[in-house]
mmCIF file of all heavy atoms in Angstrom:
data_model
loop_
_atom_site.group_PDB
_atom_site.id
_atom_site.type_symbol
_atom_site.label_atom_id
_atom_site.label_comp_id
_atom_site.label_asym_id
_atom_site.label_seq_id
_atom_site.Cartn_x
_atom_site.Cartn_y
_atom_site.Cartn_z
ATOM 1 N N ASP A 24 -1.319 -1.366 -10.254
ATOM 2 C CA ASP A 24 -1.880 -0.153 -10.838
ATOM 3 C C ASP A 24 -1.692 -0.185 -12.358
ATOM 4 O O ASP A 24 -1.050 -1.110 -12.903
ATOM 5 C CB ASP A 24 -1.227 1.080 -10.214
ATOM 6 C CG ASP A 24 0.275 1.149 -10.485
ATOM 7 O OD1 ASP A 24 0.784 0.283 -11.212
ATOM 8 O OD2 ASP A 24 0.929 2.074 -9.964
ATOM 9 N N PRO A 25 -2.253 0.773 -13.090
ATOM 10 C CA PRO A 25 -2.136 0.753 -14.559
ATOM 11 C C PRO A 25 -0.707 0.715 -15.075
ATOM 12 O O PRO A 25 -0.453 0.186 -16.159
ATOM 13 C CB PRO A 25 -2.836 2.057 -14.969
ATOM 14 C CG PRO A 25 -3.832 2.304 -13.884
ATOM 15 C CD PRO A 25 -3.180 1.830 -12.634
ATOM 16 N N SER A 26 0.243 1.235 -14.304
ATOM 17 C CA SER A 26 1.634 1.206 -14.754
ATOM 18 C C SER A 26 2.324 -0.114 -14.443
ATOM 19 O O SER A 26 3.468 -0.310 -14.841
ATOM 20 C CB SER A 26 2.407 2.355 -14.099
ATOM 21 O OG SER A 26 2.430 2.195 -12.687
ATOM 22 N N GLY A 27 1.644 -1.021 -13.737
ATOM 23 C CA GLY A 27 2.229 -2.312 -13.404
ATOM 24 C C GLY A 27 2.918 -2.356 -12.059
ATOM 25 O O GLY A 27 3.440 -3.405 -11.676
ATOM 26 N N ALA A 28 2.918 -1.243 -11.329
ATOM 27 C CA ALA A 28 3.575 -1.213 -10.020
ATOM 28 C C ALA A 28 2.682 -1.874 -8.972
ATOM 29 O O ALA A 28 1.459 -1.806 -9.042
ATOM 30 C CB ALA A 28 3.880 0.226 -9.615
ATOM 31 N N LYS A 29 3.312 -2.522 -8.007
ATOM 32 C CA LYS A 29 2.597 -3.168 -6.933
ATOM 33 C C LYS A 29 2.169 -2.129 -5.894
ATOM 34 O O LYS A 29 2.969 -1.314 -5.451
ATOM 35 C CB LYS A 29 3.483 -4.213 -6.252
ATOM 36 C CG LYS A 29 3.930 -5.347 -7.156
ATOM 37 C CD LYS A 29 2.757 -6.262 -7.500
ATOM 38 C CE LYS A 29 3.228 -7.451 -8.329
ATOM 39 N NZ LYS A 29 2.104 -8.352 -8.686
ATOM 40 N N ARG A 30 0.896 -2.180 -5.518
ATOM 41 C CA ARG A 30 0.375 -1.268 -4.512
ATOM 42 C C ARG A 30 -0.547 -2.043 -3.575
ATOM 43 O O ARG A 30 -0.982 -3.161 -3.895
ATOM 44 C CB ARG A 30 -0.383 -0.088 -5.131
ATOM 45 C CG ARG A 30 0.501 0.800 -5.996
ATOM 46 C CD ARG A 30 -0.198 2.098 -6.328
ATOM 47 N NE ARG A 30 -0.424 2.926 -5.148
ATOM 48 C CZ ARG A 30 0.476 3.751 -4.640
ATOM 49 N NH1 ARG A 30 1.680 3.858 -5.196
ATOM 50 N NH2 ARG A 30 0.186 4.487 -3.577
ATOM 51 N N ALA A 31 -0.849 -1.447 -2.411
ATOM 52 C CA ALA A 31 -1.723 -2.058 -1.412
ATOM 53 C C ALA A 31 -2.809 -1.050 -1.049
ATOM 54 O O ALA A 31 -2.519 0.134 -0.834
ATOM 55 C CB ALA A 31 -0.943 -2.467 -0.169
ATOM 56 N N LYS A 32 -4.053 -1.523 -0.987
ATOM 57 C CA LYS A 32 -5.194 -0.662 -0.688
ATOM 58 C C LYS A 32 -5.819 -1.089 0.632
ATOM 59 O O LYS A 32 -6.018 -2.278 0.886
ATOM 60 C CB LYS A 32 -6.233 -0.745 -1.812
ATOM 61 C CG LYS A 32 -7.465 0.128 -1.573
ATOM 62 C CD LYS A 32 -8.411 0.090 -2.755
ATOM 63 C CE LYS A 32 -9.022 -1.278 -2.914
ATOM 64 N NZ LYS A 32 -10.041 -1.322 -3.997
ATOM 65 N N CYS A 33 -6.137 -0.105 1.482
ATOM 66 C CA CYS A 33 -6.774 -0.378 2.765
ATOM 67 C C CYS A 33 -8.182 -0.945 2.525
ATOM 68 O O CYS A 33 -8.921 -0.461 1.670
ATOM 69 C CB CYS A 33 -6.849 0.900 3.607
ATOM 70 S SG CYS A 33 -7.654 0.683 5.209
ATOM 71 N N LYS A 34 -8.557 -1.963 3.281
ATOM 72 C CA LYS A 34 -9.858 -2.598 3.127
ATOM 73 C C LYS A 34 -11.005 -1.740 3.650
ATOM 74 O O LYS A 34 -12.162 -2.021 3.354
ATOM 75 C CB LYS A 34 -9.872 -3.943 3.863
ATOM 76 C CG LYS A 34 -8.927 -4.982 3.281
ATOM 77 C CD LYS A 34 -9.038 -6.294 4.035
ATOM 78 C CE LYS A 34 -8.100 -7.351 3.460
ATOM 79 N NZ LYS A 34 -8.185 -8.635 4.211
ATOM 80 N N TYR A 35 -10.684 -0.696 4.423
ATOM 81 C CA TYR A 35 -11.724 0.093 5.056
ATOM 82 C C TYR A 35 -11.886 1.471 4.433
ATOM 83 O O TYR A 35 -12.953 2.067 4.520
ATOM 84 C CB TYR A 35 -11.428 0.242 6.550
ATOM 85 C CG TYR A 35 -11.020 -1.061 7.193
ATOM 86 C CD1 TYR A 35 -9.701 -1.283 7.586
ATOM 87 C CD2 TYR A 35 -11.944 -2.086 7.386
ATOM 88 C CE1 TYR A 35 -9.314 -2.479 8.165
ATOM 89 C CE2 TYR A 35 -11.568 -3.285 7.954
ATOM 90 C CZ TYR A 35 -10.251 -3.478 8.345
ATOM 91 O OH TYR A 35 -9.880 -4.668 8.908
ATOM 92 N N CYS A 36 -10.829 1.996 3.816
ATOM 93 C CA CYS A 36 -10.902 3.294 3.158
ATOM 94 C C CYS A 36 -10.153 3.198 1.828
ATOM 95 O O CYS A 36 -9.723 2.122 1.422
ATOM 96 C CB CYS A 36 -10.318 4.410 4.046
ATOM 97 S SG CYS A 36 -8.566 4.208 4.415
ATOM 98 N N VAL A 37 -10.020 4.296 1.128
ATOM 99 C CA VAL A 37 -9.429 4.287 -0.224
ATOM 100 C C VAL A 37 -7.939 4.616 -0.203
ATOM 101 O O VAL A 37 -7.354 4.824 -1.255
ATOM 102 C CB VAL A 37 -10.178 5.301 -1.118
ATOM 103 C CG1 VAL A 37 -11.622 4.886 -1.300
ATOM 104 C CG2 VAL A 37 -10.105 6.709 -0.512
ATOM 105 N N LYS A 38 -7.319 4.646 0.937
ATOM 106 C CA LYS A 38 -5.905 4.992 1.026
ATOM 107 C C LYS A 38 -5.060 3.865 0.443
ATOM 108 O O LYS A 38 -5.291 2.686 0.702
ATOM 109 C CB LYS A 38 -5.513 5.224 2.486
ATOM 110 C CG LYS A 38 -4.136 5.838 2.673
ATOM 111 C CD LYS A 38 -4.100 7.277 2.225
ATOM 112 C CE LYS A 38 -2.756 7.918 2.538
ATOM 113 N NZ LYS A 38 -2.689 9.312 2.074
ATOM 114 N N THR A 39 -4.068 4.217 -0.389
ATOM 115 C CA THR A 39 -3.198 3.228 -1.012
ATOM 116 C C THR A 39 -1.743 3.564 -0.708
ATOM 117 O O THR A 39 -1.383 4.727 -0.472
ATOM 118 C CB THR A 39 -3.410 3.186 -2.532
ATOM 119 O OG1 THR A 39 -3.075 4.466 -3.101
ATOM 120 C CG2 THR A 39 -4.852 2.828 -2.864
ATOM 121 N N TYR A 40 -0.890 2.510 -0.751
ATOM 122 C CA TYR A 40 0.532 2.663 -0.496
ATOM 123 C C TYR A 40 1.303 1.771 -1.467
ATOM 124 O O TYR A 40 0.779 0.753 -1.938
ATOM 125 C CB TYR A 40 0.880 2.276 0.949
ATOM 126 C CG TYR A 40 0.280 3.178 1.985
ATOM 127 C CD1 TYR A 40 -0.964 2.885 2.536
ATOM 128 C CD2 TYR A 40 0.936 4.317 2.423
ATOM 129 C CE1 TYR A 40 -1.538 3.702 3.501
ATOM 130 C CE2 TYR A 40 0.379 5.143 3.389
ATOM 131 C CZ TYR A 40 -0.860 4.829 3.916
ATOM 132 O OH TYR A 40 -1.416 5.647 4.864
ATOM 133 N N ALA A 41 2.553 2.155 -1.736
ATOM 134 C CA ALA A 41 3.423 1.339 -2.575
ATOM 135 C C ALA A 41 3.740 0.043 -1.837
ATOM 136 O O ALA A 41 4.032 0.044 -0.646
ATOM 137 C CB ALA A 41 4.696 2.098 -2.915
ATOM 138 N N ALA A 42 3.695 -1.086 -2.570
ATOM 139 C CA ALA A 42 3.867 -2.393 -1.933
ATOM 140 C C ALA A 42 4.761 -3.304 -2.755
ATOM 141 O O ALA A 42 4.491 -4.500 -2.888
ATOM 142 C CB ALA A 42 2.511 -3.047 -1.693
ATOM 143 N N ALA A 43 5.825 -2.746 -3.318
ATOM 144 C CA ALA A 43 6.767 -3.583 -4.057
ATOM 145 C C ALA A 43 7.494 -4.520 -3.095
ATOM 146 O O ALA A 43 7.750 -4.173 -1.948
ATOM 147 C CB ALA A 43 7.774 -2.716 -4.802
ATOM 148 N N THR A 44 7.794 -5.731 -3.592
ATOM 149 C CA THR A 44 8.455 -6.713 -2.734
ATOM 150 C C THR A 44 9.797 -6.202 -2.251
ATOM 151 O O THR A 44 10.180 -6.419 -1.095
ATOM 152 C CB THR A 44 8.632 -8.037 -3.491
ATOM 153 O OG1 THR A 44 7.360 -8.473 -3.974
ATOM 154 C CG2 THR A 44 9.226 -9.090 -2.595
ATOM 155 N N LYS A 45 10.518 -5.548 -3.123
ATOM 156 C CA LYS A 45 11.803 -4.969 -2.758
ATOM 157 C C LYS A 45 11.696 -3.450 -2.775
ATOM 158 O O LYS A 45 11.233 -2.863 -3.748
ATOM 159 C CB LYS A 45 12.890 -5.411 -3.745
ATOM 160 C CG LYS A 45 13.162 -6.916 -3.706
ATOM 161 C CD LYS A 45 14.281 -7.274 -4.663
ATOM 162 C CE LYS A 45 14.588 -8.774 -4.617
ATOM 163 N NZ LYS A 45 15.675 -9.152 -5.533
ATOM 164 N N GLY A 46 12.074 -2.850 -1.681
ATOM 165 C CA GLY A 46 12.114 -1.397 -1.629
ATOM 166 C C GLY A 46 11.004 -0.764 -0.821
ATOM 167 O O GLY A 46 11.103 0.406 -0.461
ATOM 168 N N ASN A 47 9.919 -1.491 -0.534
ATOM 169 C CA ASN A 47 8.809 -0.935 0.221
ATOM 170 C C ASN A 47 8.478 -1.844 1.402
ATOM 171 O O ASN A 47 8.283 -3.049 1.229
ATOM 172 C CB ASN A 47 7.554 -0.780 -0.647
ATOM 173 C CG ASN A 47 7.769 0.156 -1.814
ATOM 174 O OD1 ASN A 47 7.643 -0.232 -2.961
ATOM 175 N ND2 ASN A 47 8.089 1.408 -1.520
ATOM 176 N N GLY A 48 8.421 -1.260 2.584
ATOM 177 C CA GLY A 48 8.060 -2.007 3.782
ATOM 178 C C GLY A 48 6.600 -1.780 4.157
ATOM 179 O O GLY A 48 5.803 -1.242 3.384
ATOM 180 N N THR A 49 6.264 -2.183 5.359
ATOM 181 C CA THR A 49 4.886 -2.069 5.856
ATOM 182 C C THR A 49 4.749 -1.021 6.953
ATOM 183 O O THR A 49 3.710 -0.947 7.595
ATOM 184 C CB THR A 49 4.402 -3.426 6.384
ATOM 185 O OG1 THR A 49 5.283 -3.857 7.440
ATOM 186 C CG2 THR A 49 4.372 -4.464 5.281
ATOM 187 N N THR A 50 5.783 -0.213 7.165
ATOM 188 C CA THR A 50 5.716 0.781 8.238
ATOM 189 C C THR A 50 4.619 1.804 7.986
ATOM 190 O O THR A 50 3.845 2.147 8.882
ATOM 191 C CB THR A 50 7.068 1.492 8.383
ATOM 192 O OG1 THR A 50 8.085 0.524 8.637
ATOM 193 C CG2 THR A 50 7.029 2.501 9.523
ATOM 194 N N SER A 51 4.532 2.293 6.756
ATOM 195 C CA SER A 51 3.509 3.293 6.446
ATOM 196 C C SER A 51 2.109 2.727 6.580
ATOM 197 O O SER A 51 1.183 3.414 7.023
ATOM 198 C CB SER A 51 3.726 3.831 5.027
ATOM 199 O OG SER A 51 3.701 2.767 4.081
ATOM 200 N N MET A 52 1.929 1.451 6.237
ATOM 201 C CA MET A 52 0.612 0.833 6.374
ATOM 202 C C MET A 52 0.241 0.645 7.841
ATOM 203 O O MET A 52 -0.913 0.864 8.234
ATOM 204 C CB MET A 52 0.587 -0.504 5.628
ATOM 205 C CG MET A 52 0.634 -0.355 4.113
ATOM 206 S SD MET A 52 0.482 -1.921 3.231
ATOM 207 C CE MET A 52 2.134 -2.565 3.444
ATOM 208 N N ASN A 53 1.195 0.241 8.662
ATOM 209 C CA ASN A 53 0.922 0.096 10.090
ATOM 210 C C ASN A 53 0.604 1.437 10.732
ATOM 211 O O ASN A 53 -0.271 1.526 11.610
ATOM 212 C CB ASN A 53 2.118 -0.548 10.788
ATOM 213 C CG ASN A 53 2.243 -2.029 10.473
ATOM 214 O OD1 ASN A 53 1.244 -2.723 10.336
ATOM 215 N ND2 ASN A 53 3.472 -2.517 10.355
ATOM 216 N N ASN A 54 1.278 2.495 10.307
ATOM 217 C CA ASN A 54 0.967 3.831 10.823
ATOM 218 C C ASN A 54 -0.429 4.265 10.414
ATOM 219 O O ASN A 54 -1.136 4.947 11.176
ATOM 220 C CB ASN A 54 2.005 4.843 10.336
ATOM 221 C CG ASN A 54 3.375 4.583 10.932
ATOM 222 O OD1 ASN A 54 3.508 3.973 11.993
ATOM 223 N ND2 ASN A 54 4.415 5.043 10.246
ATOM 224 N N HIS A 55 -0.830 3.886 9.210
ATOM 225 C CA HIS A 55 -2.177 4.244 8.748
ATOM 226 C C HIS A 55 -3.247 3.549 9.581
ATOM 227 O O HIS A 55 -4.305 4.141 9.865
ATOM 228 C CB HIS A 55 -2.331 3.868 7.270
ATOM 229 C CG HIS A 55 -3.751 3.942 6.781
ATOM 230 N ND1 HIS A 55 -4.388 5.130 6.503
ATOM 231 C CD2 HIS A 55 -4.656 2.958 6.533
ATOM 232 C CE1 HIS A 55 -5.619 4.874 6.101
ATOM 233 N NE2 HIS A 55 -5.800 3.570 6.116
#
């Protein structure tokens, strides 16, 4: 993102989640 933070965007909709290597898992993405 513009601030330099790592994020992940869904390929089918515009929903985004934090995706830093340390500190962020994939649970929220799997729930989405």
Side-chain angles (χ1 to χ4, degrees):
D24 62 4
S26 63
K29 298 290 184 180
R30 297 193 66 84
K32 180 176 67 175
C33 179
K34 295 182 180 179
Y35 314 108
C36 63
V37 296
K38 191 70 175 178
T39 62
Y40 295 91
T44 305
K45 295 182 179 180
N47 299 119
T49 59
T50 302
S51 57
M52 290 184 283
N53 287 324
N54 293 336
H55 169 76

